[in-house]
Amino acid sequence: MKVKITRNAAKQLKEVLEQEEDKELKLRAYITHAHGDHAHYGLALDKPTEDDVVVSTDKEIDVIVKKDEPLLDGLVIDYLYTPQEGYMLTNPSKGNHGDH
């Protein structure tokens, strides 16, 4: 499984993780709903379970994802400032280049 976090997203996520009191919590990327060949994604702080895999990223942030979920493999987590500030999760390897 691969997950990429952009520089902008890493900056924001590190601030969130540093403020969290429970240092065992990690970032979880999950599918809010899937249809056809793509999905919509969400982020939360959570602890891994036996159904998960923890993916290390080059930004020193570990991401929890469900094992054997192909729509999470190749996920890109970005943080955009315009047109609306917030996280953007896409999976270009699966043909998902953003919300529609």
Side-chain angles (χ1 to χ4, degrees):
M1 296 285 265
K2 292 183 182 179
V3 176
K4 177 174 175 40
I5 299 176
T6 66
R7 186 174 28 238
N8 283 346
K11 179 182 174 187
Q12 297 296 324
L13 290 168
K14 284 181 181 180
E15 287 179 17
V16 169
L17 291 166
E18 286 172 6
Q19 293 175 7
E20 179 56 48
E21 290 181 21
D22 186 345
K23 299 303 179 190
E24 291 183 27
L25 291 177
K26 297 184 183 308
L27 182 67
R28 175 181 293 280
Y30 60 94
I31 295 174
T32 58
H33 64 276
H35 46 95
D37 60 351
H38 72 281
H40 297 261
Y41 303 96
L43 293 175
L45 295 179
D46 201 0
K47 294 180 183 176
T49 69
E50 60 194 30
D51 297 328
D52 298 321
V53 63
V54 177
V55 179
S56 295
T57 68
D58 65 344
K59 300 297 189 279
E60 300 176 356
I61 297 173
D62 292 337
V63 181
I64 304 167
V65 293
K66 285 276 184 218
K67 288 181 190 173
D68 304 320
E69 178 50 72
L71 292 174
L72 290 171
D73 189 20
L75 188 67
V76 177
I77 302 170
D78 197 359
Y79 190 88
L80 304 177
Y81 294 95
T82 60
Q84 182 176 344
E85 190 169 339
Y87 295 100
M88 169 74 93
L89 285 75
T90 59
N91 194 333
S93 70
K94 305 293 188 244
N96 175 243
H97 298 280
D99 290 338
H100 56 277

